[in-house]
């Protein structure tokens, strides 16, 4: 299954004709509209919420269904990935800053040993849960033609609406301003679904 087929299974809530949202207050507008783009499947909408269950590093199992009513940012990373290391402080900051507005952040690590991920968590002071994709099957399914761990692109960020639908996905690391801009747009789009 390639990445586009996998994303179709994840069930998007948006329609392809959705109108763009205005620039949120307090977030810098991008120089171009590239920050407004998400990797969205052209075949929309789908009517099934995303289901995802994984073991969590040193915590109760992750079940995305338990996050219904909250906007969720899933940050898929590997400890050896340079862009993941550069992006992680911004993800941690966003997790703290946007929690009161209903955003839950969950990390997903691909195919690494628990002790390796524990050391990464300690180095950055990560407080959000880290789900463990032990065999890499979830992450591999996101990538087109990826056969080996070294072929995968990291990080990947998935934005899941409070009703459990995938809003969009973002492949590659982002800076602080872009991440916050995307989160603001995502929260504004999800506002009608959030139950605080």
């Amino acid at each position: 299954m390639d990445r586009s087929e996998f994303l179709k299974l994840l069930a998007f809530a948006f329609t392809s004709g959705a109108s763009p949202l205005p620039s949120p207050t307090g977030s810098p507008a991008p120089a171009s509209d590239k920050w407004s783009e998400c990797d969205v499947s052209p075949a929309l909408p789908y009517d099934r919420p995303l289901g995802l269950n994984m073991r969590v590093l040193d915590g109760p199992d992750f079940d995305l269904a338990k996050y219904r009513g909250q906007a969720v940012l899933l940050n898929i990373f590997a400890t050896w990935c340079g862009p993941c290391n550069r992006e992680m402080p911004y993800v941690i900051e966003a997790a703290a800053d946007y929690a009161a507005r209903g955003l839950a952040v969950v990390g997903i690590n691909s195919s690494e040993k628990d002790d390796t991920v524990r050391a990464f968590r300690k180095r950055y002071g990560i407080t959000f849960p880290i789900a463990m994709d032990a065999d890499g099957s979830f992450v591999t399914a996101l990538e087109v033609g990826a056969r080996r761990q070294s072929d995968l692109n990291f990080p990947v960020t998935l934005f899941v609406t409070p009703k459990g639908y995938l809003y969009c996905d973002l492949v590659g690391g982002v800076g602080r301003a872009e991440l916050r801009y995307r989160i603001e747009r995502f929260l504004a789009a999800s506002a009608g679904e959030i139950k605080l």
Side-chain angles (χ1 to χ4, degrees), residues 27 93-94 97-98 175-184:
S27 292
E93 179 188 58
D97 291 351
Y98 289 100
R176 181 182 187 274
E178 181 177 355
L179 180 63
R180 295 179 80 83
Y181 181 82
R182 288 179 181 276
I183 290 171
E184 288 283 351

Side-chain angles (χ1 to χ4, degrees), residues 53-94:
N53 297 287
M54 288 183 192
R55 177 179 69 84
V56 167
L57 182 69
D58 303 325
D61 287 353
F62 168 66
D63 180 357
L64 186 58
K66 292 181 181 176
Y67 285 81
R68 295 285 157 77
Q70 285 186 277
V72 179
L73 183 151
L74 301 175
N75 182 259
I76 302 167
F77 70 94
T79 64
W80 49 261
C81 159
C84 302
N85 280 267
R86 287 188 294 277
E87 179 183 75
M88 189 55 67
Y90 310 131
V91 175
I92 294 165
E93 179 188 58

Side-chain angles (χ1 to χ4, degrees), residues 103-125:
L103 181 69
V105 175
V106 177
I108 299 178
N109 177 266
S110 178
S111 305
E112 294 186 280
K113 294 181 180 181
D114 286 8
D115 286 343
T116 301
V117 180
R118 280 188 190 101
F120 184 83
R121 179 179 65 191
K122 183 177 179 180
R123 179 175 47 191
Y124 286 103

Side-chain angles (χ1 to χ4, degrees), residues 5-158:
E5 287 300 313
F6 180 76
L7 290 175
K8 288 178 185 177
L9 294 176
L10 293 182
F12 284 85
F14 267 28
T15 65
S16 57
S19 60
L21 296 170
S23 176
T25 306
S27 292
S32 72
D33 65 353
K34 82 172 190 74
W35 286 3
S36 299
E37 298 172 2
C38 276
D39 297 329
V40 178
S41 168
L44 303 173
Y46 292 90
D47 60 358
R48 291 178 295 158
L50 169 62
L52 185 58
N53 297 287
M54 288 183 192
R55 177 179 69 84
V56 167
L57 182 69
D58 303 325
D61 287 353
F62 168 66
D63 180 357
L64 186 58
K66 292 181 181 176
Y67 285 81
R68 295 285 157 77
Q70 285 186 277
V72 179
L73 183 151
L74 301 175
N75 182 259
I76 302 167
F77 70 94
T79 64
W80 49 261
C81 159
C84 302
N85 280 267
R86 287 188 294 277
E87 179 183 75
M88 189 55 67
Y90 310 131
V91 175
I92 294 165
E93 179 188 58
D97 291 351
Y98 289 100
R101 291 185 49 199
L103 181 69
V105 175
V106 177
I108 299 178
N109 177 266
S110 178
S111 305
E112 294 186 280
K113 294 181 180 181
D114 286 8
D115 286 343
T116 301
V117 180
R118 280 188 190 101
F120 184 83
R121 179 179 65 191
K122 183 177 179 180
R123 179 175 47 191
Y124 286 103
I126 298 170
T127 58
F128 50 79
I130 299 175
M132 302 296 287
D133 183 19
D135 64 1
S137 59
F138 175 73
V139 174
T140 301
L142 289 173
E143 305 287 342
V144 177
R147 299 285 185 256
R148 303 179 310 264
Q149 181 80 8
S150 61
D151 293 335
L152 300 174
N153 292 309
F154 291 100
V156 175
T157 303
L158 304 176

